[in-house]
Amino acid sequence: MTAGASRSRFREDETRRDSDHVSFLRHKRFRWAWAALALSLAAAAGYALIDQDPRPNGGSWYGYTLGTIGLGLILWLSLLGVRKRRINPGAWSLKAWTSAHVYLGLSLVVVGTLHTGFQIGWNVHSLAYVLMLLVIATGVYGVVAYTTLPARLSDNRREMTRAQMLDALTAIDRQLDGAAQPLARGEADLVLAALRQSPFAGGALARLTGRYPACQTARALAGMDTASEAQQRVRALLEKRAAQLAQIRGALRIQAALEVWLFLHITLTIALIAALSAHVISVFYYW
Amino acid sequence: MTGIFRVAIIGSGPAGLSAAAHAAALGLAHILLEKTDHLSDTIFKYQKGKHVMATPANLVLRSDIDFEAGKRETILGRWDEQIAARKVNVKLNAEVLKVEGHKGAFRIALRSGEVVDAEAIVLAIGTQGNPNRLRCPGADSPLIQYQLDDPGEYFDEHITVIGSGDAGIENALGLAADPAQRNVVTILNRSADFARAKAANVALLEEAERDGRLIVRRETEPAEVRTRELLLNTRDGQETIRCDRIIARTGSQPPRGFVEAMGVEFSSPEPGSFPKLSPEFETTTPGIHVIGALAGYPLIKHCMNQGYDVIEFLAGNRDLKPADEPLLAEKFAQLPGNRSVAEWLDIFGRNIVVLGDLSVLQLRELMLDSAVHAYQPGEVIFRRNDPGSSMFAIAEGSVAVEVNPNDPSITVGIEQGSIFGEVGLISGRRRGATVRAAEPVVALELPRMAALKLLATSPGAARAVNSIAIERQLLQMFGAGLTRADVAPLVENAELKSVRAGQVVVAEGADDKDIYIIRSGSMIVEKQVGGRPVFLSYLPAGSYFGEMAVIDGSPRTATVKAAIKSEVIRVPGDGFLALLEQNPGLRDKALQQMSARRATNAFIESRKGEFSGAVDLYSQTAQFLVDNGIGEATDVLLIDEKLCIGCDNCERACADSHEGLSRLDREAGRTYAHLHVPTSCRHCEHPHCMADCPPNAIRRGPDGEVFIDETCIGCGNCQRNCPYGVIRMDAKPPKKPSLLQWMLLGKGPGPGEAPYGWRKSEAKKQGLPEAKLAVKCDMCAGIDGGPACVRACPTGAAIRVSPERFLTYTKLAEDTQ
């Protein structure tokens, strides 16, 4: 590396080391929010001021312009998935991309709607429009999730990694196994059932809601007497197990909430691109 | 063979083996003494299948036995074979207790009671030392062993582990791991807690104790080892337990005491120093020679070459050129003047003041580790703000230091024989000024490790560097306009003070009147407000404090304590006042800085009234960060958990930017008030990982990053030395199919670090080497755009910051969102 390159990296590094923790929403003082706002205002002003003949329509020259901008934006926005997985080469910042993705994506509501000229019907063109709105709606949920859930995820973690949470559960289970030896058959079976059940059992719905009606640990707790010392000991351990499970399930639930919308967002995007292809081809076919 | 040997070689590591093999080849009467029942114990103790490296690659091997990189078993097997084939006279189980006599007639007493007579001795005992033995009656009992190779080989035994360090705990846990072995395992700890062990190990031990898998006896010591019984001193009196086996893991004794008992002098009392040696490896006790790691050469090839050389010298060959001769010739070839290696060594050794005390042997070694440069007049040697922890010494010519960053024409000269760049070495921080050659210069650049080794081995060099460093630090601190004569009285009365982490240097309310300069490490300033300490500011190395009380005669207004282990220079306040009187410009500058500091403090105090919560949060967050090593960091990854969605894209980007292994663990690490310090390199000012790297493979790069180069031998020392656990040992993974292939065809494991199984099987398929090497963050050196972890964060949660910029009120209390 030459001395000159090294010094420019030094300046770059010093700026970075001086950086604040600014979220993707406030990135560079809302640079992309302003850009999106400007785009929306310009599109709206054009819509209002340009005399479109016979009426505002996707087929007018202004309609084509808006359509092209919208299509370009949609294709570019969908590339975020690739960008995220390919960080080199190039000096990209994924935060800047996310910021642009969010605000320019929102501006599509304006650009797309004006492109329709408010003509909605039962056809592939309107299907594309509705799909676009759905994609944006799921995206808005994503933004809300990204701004509200991380603090809860962090609080729930209490400085433990996921592996440590599972290790803690294993440690409790080992103690439970030993402590349950003096119990009578019925109660021992309850403990065994709790130990045998995978902490992940319950399926997608349980994961998302955090409700595990078939939880054997809860069942064992309900069925455990506290007459003998052994029973008290097992009960205490079961309570510890339930608390540990609650932490693991809490982490799973928040993580699921942070990810589940992406399944819709991405699937709908693929559908949107398919519908858009049909829309564009049919428009040119019937030119 | 009886009678008197020409040479007795003590220790059968690479150095001793090579010496013995060459003695056998020359037909010298010799004996190789090894304390264990096998050759080369250090390598023998490596884990099974460990890949042993052969560096430096360009050094020729000069030995009668072979060595090339390969598996531990292959190397040991070949050595056993060749030692037998060359008819080397080996005596195993021969631990040397004492050496008496003099050159020509040494008497070597062994533990078995035998005595070996030899004319000369070659000590090749390495630096590992002997395990500490139990200090109680019965310490010679056969029940006691000092090592545990395979915990799985003992059944139905009552085993007592003595020692409360990690080794003891790990052994005890290993022995108790499988209940099917039916061992009764007890671990003894002299004190009440396990303070010397890693927290994770202690947690595992306590869990095992709760489960009844093993017995932990605290405040208990062995009193006597009897037959199948152990008498214990406990807090409540004596007690006897059944005991079939004792594993003693109470640390080891460095070999220095043993060597000094023979009259051998070391170069300094520093723990890291080495015996004084002649060019023929002879110590200050005639007839006793030291080679290998104990002589300061930890690499196998060096050791083997020295074994060969020392025997040549003993056999009377005085003209032998060391094996490094061609390397030095190559190094000196770039210098002007066409001089020979001997001439250059003479010039460097004679002209450079700090090298005055070195033997030819040490000088050669230093030269091998260092770089030599020739500069034309006006040429830049280094620039202000370049990272660099090397020290330069001028062999010929002189240099000019640009003391004023705004006006390069103001310079201060440094003359032939002197040094420069020592501030970077000592403080670990960036260069403070640009230095140019003033005339044609031949300079020696000592990398950090070589320079530190020089300071540890040569007390004269250490003294010289120290006084120059204090003088320059004073000059730099007070800025341009001062001369060496101005600060001379301060230098004379300055005192160097080591401060441990957390130690208070200046106490609030006290009325001492001294000024302190932080030479290495860093300090935090805090003040009691409303009965609680409030963090005011962070002071990096190079800053000074304590001037307020000196200038206005008031008591100390705040407490200053060390954030990490530091060194400060204490300068008496009256000398400083006298200097201010003479230099009005300096006085104005000091007053200016003082009022700026006062303003910061007053601001935070005023906030305390209105925004008490915010100040507490700031104060506690700053303390939390300092507790987690940010105080010694230069560039550290932090995660704002109010923004982190846990996607681990930072880890994936890290792996994809660097051969497929992630160098950070996002989840692990501590968190306070949603600010998370993940397991990731802090690029410390004085990196702990560099402390003990045999090939010196860990260095600081041009952007300040601490990185490991390709000469890593995979020994794992850096991993053990890093207090933050950020170094991992792993084999270089095979190349993954491209992102496009994964996205479209589902080929390969996808973005991020491939699972261990995939890497292992794919590496086998492709026949890649499996040697585990040390892997750590290099701050994405050479990658456009900087650290990938930060760039790959979709929400802005990941930031990399430096402590002096981040540990401020604005950053910690006002800008958070």
Side-chain angles (χ1 to χ4, degrees):
Chain A
M1 188 184 284
T2 65
S6 156
R7 248 181 311 289
S8 76
R9 167 85 190 248
F10 171 70
R11 267 199 297 277
E12 215 174 85
D13 281 344
E14 281 293 281
T15 322
R16 167 176 62 69
R17 283 190 278 260
D18 196 18
S19 67
D20 305 327
H21 27 159
V22 172
S23 75
F24 63 102
L25 290 177
R26 294 179 43 157
H27 174 70
K28 300 262 184 202
R29 296 164 183 253
F30 299 99
R31 169 187 291 180
W32 292 105
W34 291 113
L37 192 65
L39 175 65
S40 307
L41 289 178
Y47 188 86
L49 299 177
I50 294 167
D51 190 15
Q52 296 177 76
D53 195 44
R55 55 149 300 161
N57 179 290
S60 71
W61 72 264
Y62 190 64
Y64 274 121
T65 308
L66 288 179
T68 311
I69 293 174
L71 179 68
L73 270 179
I74 288 171
L75 292 180
W76 180 79
L77 290 170
S78 66
L79 285 178
L80 182 71
V82 180
R83 175 80 284 148
K84 176 178 155 189
R85 292 170 177 83
R86 185 178 164 81
I87 205 71
N88 293 310
W92 313 105
S93 150
L94 192 59
K95 177 166 84 164
W97 271 69
T98 318
S99 190
H101 184 90
V102 167
Y103 290 117
L104 294 179
L106 282 172
S107 73
L108 271 177
V109 176
V110 177
V111 173
T113 306
L114 295 179
H115 171 64
T116 64
F118 300 96
Q119 291 174 307
I120 308 292
W122 291 103
N123 52 41
V124 72
H125 315 295
S126 296
L127 173 67
Y129 176 68
V130 170
L131 282 173
M132 185 194 80
L133 290 182
L134 285 176
V135 169
I136 294 172
T138 53
V140 168
Y141 167 81
V143 171
V144 174
Y146 275 22
T147 44
T148 55
L149 294 179
R152 281 166 59 196
L153 187 67
S154 170
D155 293 336
N156 179 71
R157 228 158 64 74
R158 294 192 298 274
E159 296 196 335
M160 283 172 96
T161 66
R162 282 163 290 191
Q164 283 167 342
M165 293 178 200
L166 289 177
D167 284 349
L169 191 68
T170 315
I172 295 169
D173 285 0
R174 250 201 317 267
Q175 292 178 47
L176 254 180
D177 194 45
Q181 298 305 325
L183 295 186
R185 180 61 192 267
E187 288 177 331
D189 281 348
L190 280 176
V191 173
L192 276 180
L195 292 183
R196 277 204 203 105
Q197 191 180 39
S198 155
F200 303 110
L205 194 67
R207 192 171 286 205
L208 268 171
T209 56
R211 297 159 65 92
Y212 291 76
C215 175
Q216 294 290 349
T217 306
R219 192 165 299 171
L221 258 177
M224 188 65 52
D225 223 344
T226 50
S228 74
E229 206 173 299
Q231 283 169 330
Q232 282 165 17
R233 192 157 179 246
V234 169
R235 215 187 142 76
L237 283 169
L238 279 172
E239 274 162 9
K240 262 173 96 176
R241 188 175 205 275
Q244 188 53 59
L245 272 179
Q247 187 192 22
I248 295 172
R249 288 168 178 171
L252 287 175
R253 187 162 74 88
I254 303 168
Q255 199 73 50
L258 279 166
E259 284 167 10
V260 66
W261 65 277
L262 273 171
F263 289 96
L264 277 174
H265 191 68
I266 292 168
T267 321
L268 286 169
T269 303
I270 294 169
L272 167 62
I273 291 174
L276 272 179
S277 314
H279 163 64
V280 171
I281 290 167
S282 65
V283 163
F284 282 103
Y285 188 78
Y286 295 108
W287 187 293
Chain B
M1 199 167 164
T2 51
I4 183 159
F5 295 104
R6 175 74 187 85
V7 57
I9 298 144
I10 305 177
S12 71
L17 279 183
S18 177
H22 196 52
L26 293 185
L28 290 185
H30 67 281
I31 184 165
L32 177 62
L33 301 170
E34 166 56 47
K35 75 173 174 215
T36 67
D37 62 356
H38 47 259
L39 295 175
S40 204
D41 187 51
T42 303
I43 296 176
F44 186 86
K45 278 192 202 145
Y46 284 178
Q47 73 195 55
K48 278 182 198 153
K50 182 177 164 67
H51 185 86
V52 182
M53 312 278 272
T55 50
N58 54 354
L59 183 65
V60 262
L61 180 70
R62 187 152 76 182
S63 176
D64 294 85
I65 50 175
D66 297 335
F67 170 62
E68 57 188 51
K71 277 207 161 83
R72 162 192 173 272
E73 288 74 12
T74 322
I75 290 166
L76 290 176
R78 188 176 304 137
W79 285 351
D80 282 343
E81 227 168 74
Q82 296 187 343
I83 288 296
R86 306 229 184 328
K87 306 225 167 358
V88 174
N89 181 26
V90 182
K91 191 171 174 63
L92 295 173
N93 301 310
E95 185 182 347
V96 176
L97 290 185
K98 208 157 111 187
V99 173
E100 285 174 334
H102 51 83
K103 187 171 182 173
F106 285 111
R107 294 181 62 76
I108 304 167
L110 305 184
R111 179 168 291 281
S112 61
E114 289 171 85
V115 173
V116 174
D117 291 305
E119 290 173 18
I121 292 177
V122 171
L123 278 177
I125 55 178
T127 50
Q128 296 232 313
N130 289 327
N132 284 331
R133 304 173 64 83
L134 296 185
R135 278 175 307 224
C136 65
D140 290 331
S141 161
L143 256 50
I144 305 172
Q145 63 190 57
Y146 294 93
Q147 206 193 335
L148 177 69
D149 292 322
D150 180 7
E153 62 179 300
Y154 307 108
F155 295 91
D156 296 308
E157 289 192 24
H158 287 245
I159 306 176
T160 305
V161 179
I162 302 177
S164 57
D166 287 311
I169 294 177
E170 280 162 19
N171 284 176
L173 288 171
L175 287 164
D178 187 359
Q181 288 172 248
R182 294 175 307 275
N183 291 319
V184 178
V185 181
T186 308
I187 179 165
L188 306 188
N189 182 0
R190 202 164 20 160
S191 54
D193 47 20
F194 291 82
R196 286 190 300 125
K198 288 196 197 107
N201 270 337
V202 179
L204 285 175
L205 184 74
E206 285 169 350
E207 189 201 318
E209 183 188 16
R210 274 198 303 277
D211 297 353
R213 278 178 289 137
L214 52 72
I215 304 159
V216 181
R217 285 175 170 268
R218 295 174 177 82
E219 295 179 67
T220 302
E221 280 181 287
E224 188 184 348
V225 184
R226 300 175 179 158
T227 329
R228 314 202 66 179
E229 261 184 11
L230 181 61
L231 179 67
L232 301 174
N233 276 332
T234 72
R235 210 181 48 182
D236 312 317
Q238 291 201 319
E239 196 181 330
T240 310
I241 59 169
R242 192 183 143 191
C243 180
D244 307 312
R245 184 178 301 278
I246 293 174
I247 318 271
R249 300 308 299 261
T250 50
S252 63
Q253 197 59 48
R256 180 162 176 166
F258 170 70
V259 179
E260 281 181 327
M262 299 174 203
V264 172
E265 286 173 28
F266 279 62
S267 55
S268 86
E270 294 279 317
S273 68
F274 301 104
K276 289 186 191 164
L277 295 181
S278 75
E280 282 84 39
F281 301 102
E282 195 164 23
T283 63
T284 51
T285 303
I288 297 184
H289 299 71
V290 168
I291 56 171
L294 183 60
Y297 299 83
L299 292 175
I300 296 177
K301 264 188 179 175
H302 277 145
C303 292
M304 295 180 72
N305 286 350
Q306 289 176 358
Y308 179 98
D309 292 357
V310 76
I311 296 298
E312 280 288 315
F313 293 137
L314 277 171
N317 179 355
R318 297 280 135 188
D319 303 326
L320 180 75
K321 289 255 189 275
D324 55 28
E325 186 81 5
L327 297 183
L328 285 180
E330 195 186 326
K331 190 162 266 188
F332 293 141
Q334 47 161 319
L335 296 179
N338 269 330
R339 298 189 174 105
S340 70
V341 169
E343 283 169 324
W344 274 121
L345 284 176
D346 183 55
I347 289 173
F348 281 107
R350 201 156 32 82
N351 287 3
I352 297 174
V353 179
V354 295
L355 304 186
D357 290 356
L358 296 191
S359 69
V360 181
L361 199 68
Q362 287 171 311
L363 192 59
R364 295 189 83 100
E365 163 80 355
L366 186 76
M367 288 293 162
L368 277 182
D369 290 345
S370 308
V372 293
H373 306 281
Y375 299 100
Q376 294 306 312
E379 199 177 332
V380 171
I381 299 174
F382 56 68
R383 278 180 206 276
R384 193 174 120 83
N385 280 334
D386 278 354
S389 49
S390 58
M391 183 172 85
F392 287 79
I394 310 171
E396 285 179 342
S398 66
V399 301
V401 184
E402 295 176 6
V403 284
N404 185 343
N406 302 319
D407 185 357
S409 67
I410 304 176
T411 60
V412 171
I414 296 177
E415 72 289 353
Q416 173 168 314
S418 189
I419 54 165
F420 59 96
E422 77 293 332
V423 174
L425 169 73
I426 292 167
S427 72
R429 298 178 65 80
R430 291 167 183 276
R431 303 293 189 195
T434 300
V435 175
R436 291 175 191 273
E439 13 175 0
V441 165
V442 172
L444 178 68
E445 181 182 5
L446 295 95
R448 185 171 177 273
M449 284 317 291
L452 291 179
K453 195 165 160 187
L454 171 70
L455 299 187
T457 46
S458 164
R463 267 195 306 276
V465 171
N466 244 340
S467 86
I468 294 178
I470 289 179
E471 178 187 293
R472 301 243 174 97
Q473 212 131 26
L474 282 167
L475 285 174
Q476 195 170 342
M477 161 184 144
F478 296 132
L482 290 187
T483 62
R484 289 170 64 179
D486 288 334
V487 295
L490 291 187
V491 175
E492 205 170 303
N493 293 313
E495 184 198 353
L496 195 61
K497 228 174 113 180
S498 295
V499 202
R500 47 166 216 286
Q503 193 178 332
V504 171
V505 182
V506 163
E508 185 179 347
D511 53 7
D512 52 321
K513 299 277 182 285
D514 291 318
I515 288 198
Y516 294 88
I517 305 170
I518 307 169
R519 183 166 119 123
S520 68
S522 57
M523 302 275 147
I524 54 179
V525 185
E526 59 182 33
K527 190 177 171 67
Q528 292 285 331
V529 181
R532 264 191 295 184
V534 168
F535 184 99
L536 292 180
S537 56
Y538 166 89
L539 299 175
S543 11
Y544 65 96
F545 57 91
E547 80 289 357
M548 291 187 199
V550 174
I551 294 177
D552 60 13
S554 59
R556 301 289 191 190
T557 52
T559 296
V560 182
K561 61 183 190 184
I564 49 163
K565 184 169 161 271
S566 309
E567 276 183 332
V568 292
I569 303 167
R570 191 171 69 87
V571 180
D574 39 0
F576 176 68
L577 277 181
L579 189 70
L580 288 190
E581 305 244 309
Q582 288 158 19
N583 297 275
L586 181 59
R587 189 186 170 81
D588 292 345
K589 209 174 144 188
L591 286 175
Q592 220 173 14
Q593 176 147 18
M594 194 169 99
S595 67
R597 282 184 176 177
R598 283 236 165 99
T600 314
N601 296 356
F603 170 74
I604 291 172
E605 276 183 63
S606 72
R607 292 257 126 175
K608 178 77 185 168
E610 303 159 48
F611 304 97
S612 183
V615 174
D616 284 343
L617 179 73
Y618 155 67
S619 196
Q620 283 152 13
T621 309
Q623 189 60 51
F624 159 76
L625 289 173
V626 167
D627 289 345
N628 281 281
I630 311 308
E632 62 179 320
T634 61
D635 197 304
V636 59
L637 176 65
L638 298 177
I639 291 177
D640 184 346
E641 289 205 335
K642 278 181 291 188
L643 295 173
C644 175
I645 53 166
C647 65
D648 281 333
N649 214 39
C650 45
E651 290 186 14
R652 274 196 289 275
C654 181
D656 285 343
S657 300
H658 303 102
E659 308 181 329
L661 292 176
S662 171
R663 291 122 185 249
L664 78 102
D665 185 342
R666 175 192 61 82
E667 262 194 312
R670 306 288 313 275
T671 312
Y672 182 81
H674 297 118
L675 197 57
H676 178 62
V677 187
T679 299
S680 154
C681 182
R682 284 124 168 96
H683 300 276
C684 299
E685 286 181 345
H686 292 279
H688 304 271
C689 51
M690 281 187 193
D692 189 14
C693 175
N696 271 336
I698 309 183
R699 288 178 291 133
R700 199 178 276 283
D703 295 315
E705 74 279 12
V706 175
F707 71 101
I708 305 177
D709 71 18
E710 68 293 342
T711 61
C712 171
I713 56 172
C715 68
N717 283 357
C718 51
Q719 188 191 32
R720 283 186 289 278
N721 284 333
C722 174
Y724 307 112
V726 305
I727 300 180
R728 61 187 283 193
M729 307 296 299
D730 227 317
K732 185 178 163 180
K735 213 171 147 35
K736 291 185 296 189
S738 73
L739 181 66
L740 207 63
Q741 280 180 306
W742 173 75
M743 282 188 128
L744 299 179
L745 309 169
K747 271 195 177 169
E753 181 172 313
Y756 179 74
W758 185 87
R759 283 186 271 139
K760 185 106 180 154
S761 64
E762 198 68 14
K764 205 163 213 170
K765 244 188 267 171
Q766 299 182 17
L768 295 176
E770 291 168 51
K772 286 190 174 175
L773 299 178
V775 179
K776 73 175 283 300
C777 168
D778 64 355
M779 243 159 74
C780 285
I783 293 177
D784 197 16
C789 48
V790 175
R791 288 196 294 124
C793 180
T795 62
I799 49 176
R800 291 198 73 101
V801 296
S802 65
E804 65 243 58
R805 308 234 176 217
F806 195 70
L807 290 175
T808 60
Y809 186 79
T810 4
K811 285 279 172 3
L812 288 178
E814 291 187 338
D815 281 349
T816 50
Q817 48 208 290

